[in-house]
Amino acid sequence: MVAVVDIDGVVADVRHRLHHLDKQPKDWAAFFAAAPADPVLDAGVDAVRRLAEVYEIIYLSGRPEGCRSDTEEWLARHAFPEGQVRLRALGDRRPARITKVEELRRIAEVATVAVLVDDDPQVCEAALAAGFDVLPATWMERSDTLTEAQEDDGRT
């Protein structure tokens, strides 16, 4: 059995870099380049560590594949439990609620998904509708900018 855990807004505090997306055009390169400096969200760290006591962890993020090395290094630097990292395919701009449920279904073909931990209410609703159990990550204040990036821009 696996626990599937989002990164941005769940274990990584992205608020310090959201200003890159508040302007037009949005500076996606700067937004993702600042990811290695993300502080950890203590509640997310605690949740992942507790889940790792029982389940294999899979990190499922809307970050693009080009962020793989930074993401894996960040997880290792902060001593997160080991786990496979699944990122958004380059060029995939579909909403997170679609891409993540699609990926959950792929994971479910080879393992039982015990729970998804995600901060995006639309992802949580879509996962529940698809039959997955969800732990909503409500410990970081939601941002309209982040919601737009996840659901309208399909970028994280």
Side-chain angles (χ1 to χ4, degrees):
M1 293 181 74
V2 299
V4 180
V5 180
D6 182 26
I7 296 174
D8 293 337
V10 175
V11 296
D13 187 342
V14 302
R15 290 175 287 192
H16 72 102
R17 54 189 170 108
L18 288 175
H19 65 95
H20 295 295
L21 306 182
D22 285 335
K23 55 188 173 184
Q24 292 297 331
K26 295 177 181 177
D27 191 345
W28 291 104
F31 175 75
F32 290 118
D38 287 353
V40 298
L41 291 165
D42 292 334
V45 172
D46 185 53
V48 150
R49 290 190 176 141
R50 288 175 185 248
L51 288 167
E53 292 174 5
V54 181
Y55 306 112
E56 177 182 335
I57 301 296
I58 295 178
Y59 298 98
L60 174 60
S61 177
R63 292 178 180 192
E65 184 62 41
C67 294
R68 176 166 297 282
S69 63
D70 283 346
T71 300
E72 290 176 345
E73 289 171 12
W74 185 88
L75 290 166
R77 184 171 69 249
H78 293 289
F80 277 90
E82 288 188 24
Q84 182 184 55
V85 176
R86 293 185 177 213
L87 302 176
R88 182 186 294 270
L90 291 175
D92 186 345
R93 299 287 187 265
R94 294 174 297 154
R97 68 183 178 278
I98 294 170
T99 59
K100 286 189 176 179
V101 170
E102 184 177 279
E103 199 61 31
L104 285 169
R105 288 185 174 125
R106 282 192 193 108
I107 294 166
E109 290 175 3
V110 296
T112 300
V113 176
V115 66
L116 166 68
V117 184
D118 204 290
D119 67 310
D120 183 336
Q122 293 181 54
V123 168
C124 292
E125 288 174 22
L128 282 170
F132 296 98
D133 286 330
V134 172
L135 171 60
T138 58
W139 40 84
M140 187 184 92
E141 180 181 329
R142 283 298 292 169
S143 154
D144 290 342
T145 301
L146 185 57
T147 298
E148 184 178 319
Q150 292 171 328
E151 296 301 335
D152 297 337
D153 299 325
R155 297 293 289 255
T156 188

